[in-house]
Amino acid sequence: MGRACWLALFFVQCACAQPAPDQLMDAPVLREASDYQFSTLELDSADGARHYRVWLGRPLKVSAASPVAYLLDGNAAMAALDTELLNHLSHRPAPPVLVAVGYATPLRIERNARTFDYTPRVGEGAQRDPLTDVPSGGADQFLDLLTEQIRPLVNQRLEIQPRRQLLWGHSYGGLLVLHALTTRPQAFDDYAAASPSLWWNNGVIQTDGLAQRLRAKRPTLLLMRGDAEPASPTRAAKPQDDGAVKRLLASLQSVEGLTVRYQAFPGLGHGPMLPASLRYTLEQMSQ
């Protein structure tokens, strides 16, 4: 199957998927044989309030040249994978190692934990999410956990020091990817933000000073959005309702040393963008 047809097939399949908030995680790739071998590791947040489960997917061959993709909302990311995709990736020029960072829960999405982990700190004092009113603002704590605890454990299991590492996230996860890029661009080589929640707290992603923080680093950003997505969860989708994305894109493209690419997904709304953007990102990364 040609690359264009393969991607088109997956986008059509994704357009029909709109999971319920309390949907249980179902990841057939953990039951079926494929060219990837999965193992898990578990750990807790520093305050013991959040419990993480990480799925490590190894292709047939792993070396320091193998790119490593860190996938947020790991439970949902695992559910979005399938055996055909994994076997396809394994025969690409650079099969990626997959690190799906999720939560120790039977649910596909752990909403309270991800809301805290994926949202930046704004101001002082107790912070609540403007959409759900649950605690928020733990983005930097989570990024510390990801880079200082999870990544060393992954590298230890792989027995490599990978040369290229990517961070992918969707929705609130996309917001975290952008927060990581703009505040600690040294952390990853590639960033992939799908349908980022730019509306959150009236916009918290700032690019001021990013060029200086890059120093010798030359990261890439893949910014993705479905053209049937609303600008925020409280608004109906309108054609070309992408003003916030365009403004952010223009600001990021002006940063010297940062390579930015934008990919629109025709006909896709917010929910279907998770599996579609994940597949697209892995396809691009494995070239």
Side-chain angles (χ1 to χ4, degrees), residues 81-224:
L81 300 173
D82 58 48
T83 300
E84 182 179 0
L85 171 63
L86 296 179
N87 291 341
H88 169 79
L89 292 174
S90 73
H91 292 91
R92 299 287 289 161
V97 173
L98 306 178
V99 184
V101 182
Y103 298 93
T105 173
L107 297 177
R108 177 180 173 274
I109 295 289
E110 174 48 80
R111 296 191 179 277
N112 288 359
R114 78 187 290 267
T115 297
F116 184 80
D117 284 340
Y118 297 170
T119 53
R121 186 76 181 162
V122 179
E124 303 293 335
Q127 181 174 307
R128 313 292 292 188
D129 180 66
L131 185 64
T132 62
D133 198 40
V134 301
S136 64
D140 288 308
Q141 295 167 242
F142 176 76
L143 287 171
D144 288 343
L145 178 95
L146 182 60
T147 58
E148 298 172 12
Q149 294 188 52
I150 294 177
R151 183 153 62 188
L153 289 172
V154 168
N155 292 348
Q156 183 179 37
R157 286 203 180 184
L158 295 175
E159 299 182 323
I160 62 171
Q161 290 295 324
R163 301 170 193 160
R164 181 185 174 202
Q165 299 175 87
L166 171 142
L167 180 64
W168 168 91
H170 167 264
S171 190
Y172 275 32
L175 180 70
L176 180 75
V177 169
L178 293 174
H179 176 71
L181 168 65
T182 54
T183 62
R184 48 180 89 187
Q186 309 291 322
F188 294 89
D189 305 288
D190 304 288
Y191 298 80
S195 310
S197 300
L198 299 180
W199 56 268
W200 192 83
N201 259 305
N202 298 313
V204 296
I205 301 301
Q206 302 294 325
T207 60
D208 297 342
L210 177 55
Q212 290 71 34
R213 287 189 290 276
L214 289 179
R215 299 194 292 274
K217 194 76 171 179
R218 293 293 183 266
T220 70
L221 169 66
L222 172 60
L223 185 60
M224 297 166 281

Side-chain angles (χ1 to χ4, degrees), residues 192-271:
S195 310
S197 300
L198 299 180
W199 56 268
W200 192 83
N201 259 305
N202 298 313
V204 296
I205 301 301
Q206 302 294 325
T207 60
D208 297 342
L210 177 55
Q212 290 71 34
R213 287 189 290 276
L214 289 179
R215 299 194 292 274
K217 194 76 171 179
R218 293 293 183 266
T220 70
L221 169 66
L222 172 60
L223 185 60
M224 297 166 281
R225 187 177 186 274
D227 66 6
E229 294 192 68
S232 78
T234 58
R235 292 173 56 181
K238 299 178 181 178
Q240 305 302 317
D241 194 4
D242 56 0
V245 172
K246 288 182 176 179
R247 289 189 294 273
L248 177 65
L249 191 61
S251 179
L252 289 169
Q253 287 174 333
S254 68
V255 176
E256 185 176 356
L258 175 65
T259 300
V260 183
R261 187 164 69 86
Y262 178 67
Q263 180 65 44
F265 289 70
L268 289 194
H270 192 72

